[in-house]
Amino acid sequence: MTDNERPPIQLELPLPFPELSGDMPLLPARMINEYQYCPRLAYLEWVQGEWAASADTVEGDHAHRRVDKPSKSFPEADELDDTEKLHGRSITLSSNRLGLIAKLDLIEAEDGVVTPIDYKRGKRPHVARGAYDPERVQLCVQAMVLREHGYVCEEGALYYVQSRERVRVVFDDELQQLTANAINGLRLIAAGGHIPDPLRDSPKCSGCSLVGICLPDEVNYLRHADLEPRPLAVMRDEALPVYVQAYKAKIGKKGEELEISIDDEKVQTARLVDVSQVVVMGNVYITTPCLQDLMKREIPVSWQAAFPGLPPGPH
């Protein structure tokens, strides 16, 4: 075959994401992490708005307590001093052109180059690249947004709180392609409106906080998979309801406790962590800060009428 007979070479050009307009949401870096971990999990959280706390998520929040306190404003890219070493904590950056938003736990700047540091709970995993792909992808999204704002960013790091170790992450072509695939994949399933299939017999499911909502084994079993559902371990809940029926009693909050008083004299307390619901009977007052905190913790509050002629129960 001569050169004239050979078919023309088809070049592949990446299709840029159209700049956001209207009410199109920015994709958070954390959700792209979730998609790389499990597309079904990302769909449940991002599209359906499902969420459930677990011991792991609470531990993760605790690990971030220091870096979640924003520091002073971090200089713009063209204001960086090459001779100065800077740190910035809890900085949120976004890009309408990329359609991405990221909250950066820590940014270090030295010699005009910035390095994003992402905090993770637990110990450093002993795997080939020093960290799992979802965490590496999340860090790469942060780098993309930093570069979009004009910063020079060549690598980042994952800091594991329990083992106090840093893992260096280089933003090479392979990681950037993996990240682009995750971003496009999440956009695709969100636009399609069809929930992805659950993972099959995956060790990821047992540690997922949404396993009781996703029900991967049950869904696969109903689809005639040759897989028996694994038993779910239900946590023991020892919280109890608090009943308050004393005339003109007041329910307030002090620290992590409910404080019940009559005529400004404290008569009883209950730890909020031990309260499953609050039942108010009759003329009882709940302070606004206390009610707000109960709602924030998703502790139900019910009022029971206590008027003559009315049967007992909620009204």
Side-chain angles (χ1 to χ4, degrees):
M1 181 181 292
T2 66
D3 291 340
N4 292 333
E5 294 174 334
R6 289 194 178 100
I9 298 174
Q10 182 70 36
L11 298 177
E12 292 187 6
L13 297 176
L15 183 63
F17 179 73
E19 183 145 350
L20 287 181
S21 61
D23 59 353
M24 292 179 65
L26 295 162
L27 283 184
R30 186 180 66 82
M31 281 299 152
I32 299 165
N33 174 325
E34 302 284 32
Y35 177 86
Q36 185 66 33
Y37 185 82
C38 171
R40 185 177 175 90
L41 172 63
Y43 187 94
L44 286 169
E45 290 189 356
W46 179 239
V47 180
Q48 296 190 184
E50 301 284 2
W51 173 250
S54 68
D56 289 342
T57 62
V58 172
E59 184 181 344
D61 291 341
H62 182 73
H64 281 80
R65 67 192 185 283
R66 181 183 176 191
V67 290
D68 278 344
K69 297 177 181 178
S71 57
K72 295 180 180 178
S73 59
F74 195 77
E76 300 289 340
D78 55 1
E79 298 174 353
L80 281 179
D81 187 346
D82 293 352
T83 63
E84 187 178 8
K85 187 173 183 178
L86 300 173
H87 293 81
R89 299 183 185 277
S90 191
I91 295 174
T92 300
L93 294 175
S94 64
S95 167
N96 281 352
R97 191 184 73 83
L98 297 176
L100 301 173
I101 185 170
K103 182 178 180 182
L104 295 89
D105 291 339
L106 177 65
I107 306 176
E108 294 181 348
E110 187 174 9
D111 298 330
V113 178
V114 298
T115 303
I117 315 294
D118 204 28
Y119 276 53
K120 299 297 179 185
R121 66 175 189 86
K123 298 179 180 180
R124 173 179 66 88
H126 294 279
V127 292
R129 295 181 176 87
Y132 294 113
D133 283 344
E135 285 71 35
R136 297 171 65 243
V137 162
Q138 182 177 359
L139 198 61
C140 189
V141 173
Q142 296 179 10
M144 291 172 63
V145 179
L146 282 167
R147 290 171 177 173
E148 183 68 12
H149 282 260
Y151 295 99
V152 178
C153 182
E154 300 170 351
E155 61 181 54
L158 295 164
Y159 177 73
Y160 291 89
V161 174
Q162 190 172 350
S163 60
R164 298 183 179 180
E165 293 178 276
R166 276 194 184 191
V167 173
R168 178 172 170 256
V169 177
V170 178
F171 305 126
D172 54 21
D173 292 341
E174 181 184 0
L175 178 55
Q176 292 183 61
Q177 185 60 54
L178 184 66
T179 304
N181 293 342
I183 294 170
N184 295 332
L186 180 53
R187 287 199 180 112
L188 183 63
I189 64 169
H194 180 71
I195 187 169
D197 292 335
L199 302 177
R200 290 196 59 182
D201 196 23
S202 171
K204 296 179 180 180
C205 297
S206 58
C208 177
S209 63
L210 264 63
V211 66
I213 298 172
C214 173
L215 299 174
D217 291 350
E218 290 78 0
V219 172
N220 284 323
Y221 182 73
L222 291 174
R223 292 178 179 174
H224 309 290
D226 53 348
L227 177 70
E228 289 290 337
R230 289 166 287 188
L232 293 177
V234 180
M235 295 180 62
R236 183 177 178 181
D237 188 358
E238 298 185 352
L240 295 172
V242 171
Y243 292 87
V244 182
Q245 59 183 359
Y247 182 67
K248 289 188 176 181
K250 183 178 81 171
I251 306 174
K253 174 182 172 292
K254 186 175 182 180
E256 293 296 307
E257 290 186 332
L258 286 181
E259 193 172 82
I260 301 154
S261 57
I262 301 175
D263 295 332
D264 294 328
E265 182 179 348
K266 182 174 68 176
V267 295
Q268 188 64 276
T269 60
R271 294 196 313 165
L272 281 163
V273 70
D274 295 330
V275 176
S276 62
Q277 62 176 310
V278 176
V279 181
V280 176
M281 307 182 72
N283 192 356
V284 177
Y285 169 65
I286 302 181
T287 65
T288 299
C290 178
L291 188 59
Q292 290 175 338
D293 197 27
L294 290 169
M295 294 173 66
K296 182 179 179 181
R297 295 169 185 258
E298 299 184 352
I299 298 176
V301 180
S302 62
W303 276 265
Q304 310 280 332
F307 299 105
L310 287 178
H315 299 282

